């Protein structure tokens, strides 16, 4: 059987190891998301430059103002669709990152709490008489902290869901607004 100082020393080491593992996992997930974001932006910029160059050449080759106007208006819908696709992809990256970070943090925190409570239960078995109130206070504090974290986690998830729903609604509205209007049939 270990003495109380040895148990606390082992618990402290385990806690530091758990925090390092959490930081490492969160950093890895964050860098993966940043890498996806950079790749999306580089591809978007490359595509935009190529398409802008081609569109400019077409516009400069227009023979009259009507052709110039027709070419200009024909580019609005594809550009809006590409912007919407970019927005959806960006939202997907952010949503996936949030989900992965939350999942990783929750699992690491749950494991850390389990270890702390197990250690505390072991130490409390050997606690001197009269320390029951302190033990009860500590367990209540840990349970309250866990409840607070769970509530914060739920509120964050709800906020992200509302944000995603609003963004999707906005994207849908913009998509509908940029659809070309049906052309009026000329009367003879």
């Amino acid at each position: 059987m270990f003495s109380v100082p040895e148990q606390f020393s082992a618990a402290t080491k385990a806690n530091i190891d758990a925090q390092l593992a959490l930081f490492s996992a969160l950093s890895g997930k964050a860098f993966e998301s940043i890498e996806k974001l950079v790749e999306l932006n580089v591809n978007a910029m490359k595509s935009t430059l190529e398409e802008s160059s081609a569109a400019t050449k077409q516009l400069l080759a227009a023979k009259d103002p009507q052709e110039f106007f027709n070419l200009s208006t024909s580019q609005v819908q594809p550009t809006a669709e590409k912007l919407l696709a970019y927005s959806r992809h960006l939202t997907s990256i952010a949503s996936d990152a949030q989900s992965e970070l939350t999942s990783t943090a929750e699992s690491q925190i749950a494991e850390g709490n389990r270890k702390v409570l197990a250690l505390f239960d072991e130490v409390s078995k050997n606690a001197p008489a009269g320390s029951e109130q302190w033990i009860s206070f500590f367990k209540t504090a840990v349970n309250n902290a866990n409840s607070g974290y769970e509530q914060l986690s739920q509120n964050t998830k709800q906020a992200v869901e509302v944000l995603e729903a609003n963004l999707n609604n906005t994207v849908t509205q913009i998509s509908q607004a940029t659809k070309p209007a049906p052309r009026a049939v000329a009367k003879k």
Side-chain angles (χ1 to χ4, degrees):
M1 179 171 200
F2 294 109
S3 68
V4 173
E6 291 171 340
Q7 289 175 328
F8 278 117
S9 177
T12 301
K13 182 186 179 314
N15 186 28
I16 291 171
D17 290 344
Q19 288 177 359
L20 288 174
L22 174 62
F23 178 73
S24 177
L26 292 176
S27 296
K29 299 293 181 187
F31 281 121
E32 288 174 19
S33 298
I34 290 170
E35 182 180 30
K36 290 177 185 177
L37 181 62
V38 167
E39 181 181 355
L40 172 66
N41 286 331
V42 166
N43 289 337
M45 289 301 298
K46 182 178 177 184
S47 175
T48 300
L49 288 174
E50 291 170 355
E51 291 165 5
S52 294
S53 176
T56 301
K57 287 177 184 176
Q58 284 181 341
L59 291 173
L60 292 175
K63 295 180 177 58
D64 58 43
Q66 183 61 39
E67 183 181 359
F68 182 86
F69 178 74
N70 290 340
L71 287 171
S72 299
T73 56
S74 70
Q75 295 172 5
V76 171
Q77 178 68 21
T79 301
E81 288 173 357
K82 289 173 188 156
L83 179 61
L84 292 174
Y86 173 83
S87 297
R88 286 185 180 123
H89 198 161
L90 185 63
T91 301
S92 173
I93 290 171
S95 178
D96 291 348
Q98 183 272 335
S99 177
E100 290 177 14
L101 291 172
T102 300
S103 175
T104 300
E106 285 176 350
S107 65
Q108 292 286 341
I109 288 170
E111 180 62 18
N113 286 341
R114 186 193 62 75
K115 288 179 180 178
V116 166
L117 288 174
L119 171 69
F120 194 75
D121 285 340
E122 183 64 32
V123 170
S124 65
K125 291 177 186 175
N126 300 322
S131 62
E132 293 83 13
Q133 188 175 8
W134 185 82
I135 293 170
S136 175
F137 172 76
F138 180 78
K139 285 185 177 181
T140 301
V142 169
N143 288 334
N144 288 342
N146 288 338
S147 296
Y149 172 76
E150 288 173 10
Q151 186 63 44
L152 176 65
S153 178
Q154 288 175 349
N155 290 343
T156 302
K157 287 178 185 177
Q158 289 174 349
V160 168
E161 289 170 1
V162 168
L163 179 65
E164 288 176 355
N166 288 341
L167 183 60
N168 288 334
N169 186 26
T170 302
V171 166
T172 301
Q173 289 177 356
I174 291 172
S175 178
Q176 291 172 351
T178 59
K179 286 183 181 175
R183 295 184 183 237
V185 178
K187 293 184 179 182
K188 293 185 182 183

